[in-house]
Amino acid sequence: MSGNLFTQLAAVATRSAENVCLLLPDGSEISFAALYEQAGRFAGALKTLGVAPGDRVVVQVDKSPANLALYLGTLQSGAVYVPLNSAYTLEEVAYFLGDAEPRVFVGAQRSDDLEARFTDVHFHTLDAAGGGSLASLAADVAPSDDVVARAGSDLAAIVYTSGTTGRSKGAMLSHDNLASNAASLIDAWGWQADDVLLHALPIFHVHGLFIAMHCALTQGTPMIFLPKFEVREVLRWLPRATVLMGVPTFYTRLLAEADFTAQAAAHMRLFISGSAPLTPQTFDAFEARTGQRILERYGMSETIINSTNPLIGERVAGTVGFPLPGVEMRVTGDDGAELSRGEIGMLEVRGPNVFSGYWRMPEKTAEEIREDGYFITGDLGTQDADGRISIVGRGKDLVISGGYNVYPKEVEGVLDALDGIDESAVIGVPHADFGEAVVAVVVPSGEDVSLEALRVALDDRLARFKQPKAVINLKELPRNTMGKVQKNVLRDTYVALFQR
Ligand code: AMP
């Protein structure tokens, strides 16, 4: 049997043909049969454009049912799906086109500039309403029933990592990576035949595209398909849903709504969080409000999901749970040797979820995937005696001040728990004396927080070397679309704080 993930998905679609696949904001519905017919049309359209197995199809469009059908049609045609964040600028897109060398680029609108620069690429458009030149082409072809055979190890997608520094790297994910991870998640999260997923994530990122959608698509269950997270809209649809997958900001925004009550959440089976750290404060506030404990899990573009808190059993705030079955994780020191349980080091992961390398970057791949198959995640963490994983920060976030290692997450945890601080981000900036100085960027709940007040509050909570040497008050922290705090932006902004 072909290793093409589409074969597996299409079998489900055939079994569930008349079931609702997508529930849309205007109340209309799209069946599995209708979605896969549209996918077949896109597969036919790509074929007329000369797309061959392994060719890249780069897509930068707004989230829509047509966008989902294009993803499926790309898989069906044996091509490699390359989603791009819709916020990328023309120059950024130009980099991706140069790097991925696609046969086809599908954008939200035409760009004469890009078309002049990439003459080998077929340029097409697809809009959120399902119109555009690719949709017209697809409407003129008969839906294709052919599924191009692929080996499980063949590429299904290239996902460019958000990469805070340097060139963005394309993580190469195979059909087997996607299929095995979907199967593990369905098991781990106990997916049920009557589950309804509230889908408010973007679908240019692994979270919304693979983690969330594959659970529903491989089980033939419906998704409430919202173009983006808009809290009133999410509250309106919540009564129809059983599962919500979100980034931590989804949960803080829900908690800010007075009518998000225990009763409003009572019918929900599962709230899942990932892509950025969920603070214990949010976890606790959510439980206090709804009686439900958010299930936090840990993943990344290169490996989809690595670990999850348990469905049944203790979900511990501030931890990301246990490696999925078949996935191995370890914590290593600077020399690459495995550390003892409880020690902080680099998190590494090996298993059927781990990508095959970075697109056309063999040196980067060799640097980050060890010979024994472990991928060096770049996240610092610990594993306790039972095997439970906690993340303490990104490797590059580590601040070394006066020779001491300071883990920003530890300091942020203490700051976030103080009265008068809503949230915080801790960064290191150059300092003549200490090498780096710890700087607290805080969002105060009322008055600005002074360094003196912080010192008094922290003195018995944190060792001196961990205490901030400056505090910056902001109205909000800069975040990307996946809810991650953009520490690189903060570091760039405050780089000269201690320079005269
Ligand atoms: P991306 O490749 O954009 O999905 O980013 C992956 C990174 O997000 C990981 O390497 C982690 O640094 C971070 N991340 C994902 N899930 C979590 C989580 N539950 N807690 C803390 N950080 C997370």
Side-chain angles (χ1 to χ4, degrees):
M1 189 177 127
S2 165
N4 190 333
L5 172 67
F6 185 86
T7 308
Q8 189 190 327
L9 295 175
V12 179
T14 308
R15 277 203 307 276
S16 321
E18 294 317 317
N19 291 357
V20 174
C21 177
L22 303 177
L23 277 141
L24 302 176
D26 64 3
S28 61
E29 299 173 351
I30 295 181
S31 67
F32 278 87
L35 179 72
Y36 281 82
E37 183 191 309
Q38 184 62 17
R41 287 185 187 279
F42 280 130
L46 294 177
K47 204 165 164 193
T48 64
L49 294 173
V51 170
D55 279 352
R56 276 78 56 210
V57 175
V58 174
V59 177
Q60 189 198 31
V61 300
D62 292 326
K63 179 180 177 182
S64 69
N67 181 184
L68 168 54
L70 176 57
Y71 162 59
L72 295 169
T74 305
L75 290 182
Q76 183 178 351
S77 67
V80 179
Y81 189 73
V82 189
L84 295 185
N85 189 323
S86 37
Y88 284 142
T89 62
L90 190 133
E91 275 320 307
E92 286 167 319
V93 174
Y95 164 74
F96 294 117
L97 293 182
D99 193 56
E101 291 191 306
R103 173 81 58 192
V104 179
F105 171 72
V106 186
Q109 64 263 317
R110 295 195 73 121
S111 162
D112 292 342
D113 183 355
L114 289 176
E115 290 183 31
R117 281 156 78 179
F118 296 94
T119 48
D120 291 342
V121 178
H122 291 288
F123 283 85
H124 275 282
T125 58
L126 187 65
D127 62 37
S133 66
L134 192 74
S136 305
L137 193 62
D140 288 342
V141 299
S144 168
D145 288 334
D146 291 348
V147 183
V148 173
R150 299 261 73 196
S153 56
D154 281 335
L155 275 191
I158 298 174
V159 179
Y160 281 94
T161 58
S162 27
T164 46
T165 51
R167 293 197 303 143
S168 219
K169 299 170 283 186
M172 300 192 289
L173 294 165
S174 68
H175 290 269
D176 276 352
N177 290 148
L178 302 182
S180 68
N181 212 239
S184 296
L185 295 181
I186 282 150
D187 229 32
W189 297 339
W191 209 261
Q192 296 178 4
D194 57 357
D195 268 335
V196 178
L197 174 69
L198 206 165
H199 193 301
L201 291 158
I203 58 170
F204 52 70
H205 183 271
V206 287
H207 194 168
L209 180 59
F210 302 139
I211 297 160
M213 281 204 311
H214 286 168
C215 282
L217 291 175
T218 60
Q219 297 305 290
T221 58
M223 288 183 262
I224 299 167
F225 206 61
L226 303 182
K228 60 179 194 251
F229 183 90
E230 203 282 297
V231 72
R232 297 309 310 170
E233 190 64 357
V234 166
L235 279 172
R236 183 166 80 88
W237 282 98
L238 207 55
R240 306 271 304 264
T242 63
V243 180
L244 175 66
M245 293 193 202
V247 296
T249 33
F250 281 22
Y251 296 108
T252 51
R253 287 191 195 164
L254 279 170
L255 285 170
E257 299 295 310
D259 55 348
F260 180 62
T261 57
Q263 205 191 348
H267 65 288
M268 288 290 288
R269 186 174 75 78
L270 200 51
F271 290 99
I272 302 175
S273 178
S275 286
L278 180 76
T279 64
Q281 288 74 16
T282 305
F283 180 94
D284 290 344
F286 199 89
E287 185 176 17
R289 177 84 67 87
T290 64
Q292 302 211 34
R293 293 164 80 79
I294 299 172
L295 182 152
E296 184 170 9
R297 91 303 176 280
Y298 163 49
M300 56 208 316
S301 304
E302 291 91 338
T303 61
I304 327 173
I305 293 280
N306 298 322
S307 71
T308 176
N309 269 281
L311 179 68
I312 296 159
E314 192 63 2
R315 299 176 197 167
V316 178
T319 78
V320 292
F322 302 95
L324 289 173
V327 174
E328 298 166 275
M329 292 180 72
R330 67 183 183 196
V331 180
T332 57
D334 290 342
D335 57 359
E338 190 163 354
L339 298 176
S340 313
R341 292 282 165 112
E343 289 189 89
I344 293 177
M346 180 61 70
L347 289 170
E348 300 191 8
V349 57
R350 176 167 76 176
N353 57 323
V354 173
F355 75 136
S356 45
Y358 293 112
W359 173 255
R360 292 185 177 162
M361 289 188 180
E363 305 80 24
K364 273 273 162 222
T365 303
E367 271 169 33
E368 296 188 22
I369 302 184
R370 294 190 193 279
E371 267 171 22
D372 62 3
Y374 273 93
F375 169 58
I376 304 168
T377 61
D379 290 315
L380 297 172
T382 59
Q383 191 163 24
D384 72 10
D386 298 333
R388 205 183 271 274
I389 309 278
S390 302
I391 298 173
V392 301
R394 292 289 297 169
K396 59 183 172 303
D397 286 347
L398 177 72
V399 183
I400 305 181
S401 189
Y404 290 107
N405 286 2
V406 180
Y407 297 99
K409 182 143 182 244
E410 183 193 358
V411 183
E412 289 158 8
V414 175
L415 293 175
D416 292 350
L418 295 178
D419 284 340
I421 293 183
D422 275 352
E423 56 174 350
S424 64
V426 166
I427 54 168
V429 303
H431 188 285
D433 205 17
F434 296 103
E436 280 185 303
V438 176
V439 173
V441 184
V442 302
V443 178
S445 32
E447 302 269 291
D448 275 6
V449 177
S450 70
L451 187 60
E452 293 64 42
L454 212 54
R455 285 236 168 92
V456 172
L458 294 181
D459 249 351
D460 55 354
R461 291 184 168 92
L462 279 179
R464 268 290 162 88
F465 72 92
K466 297 180 189 168
Q467 293 185 14
K469 297 198 167 46
V471 59
I472 287 154
N473 289 269
L474 293 183
K475 285 209 168 50
E476 60 182 344
L477 299 175
R479 290 183 191 275
N480 71 11
T481 32
M482 296 311 295
K484 291 186 216 298
V485 175
Q486 292 168 305
K487 289 205 171 171
N488 54 322
V489 172
L490 293 174
R491 277 192 290 260
D492 289 350
T493 310
Y494 301 110
V495 67
L497 203 61
F498 292 98
Q499 284 164 20
R500 297 157 193 235

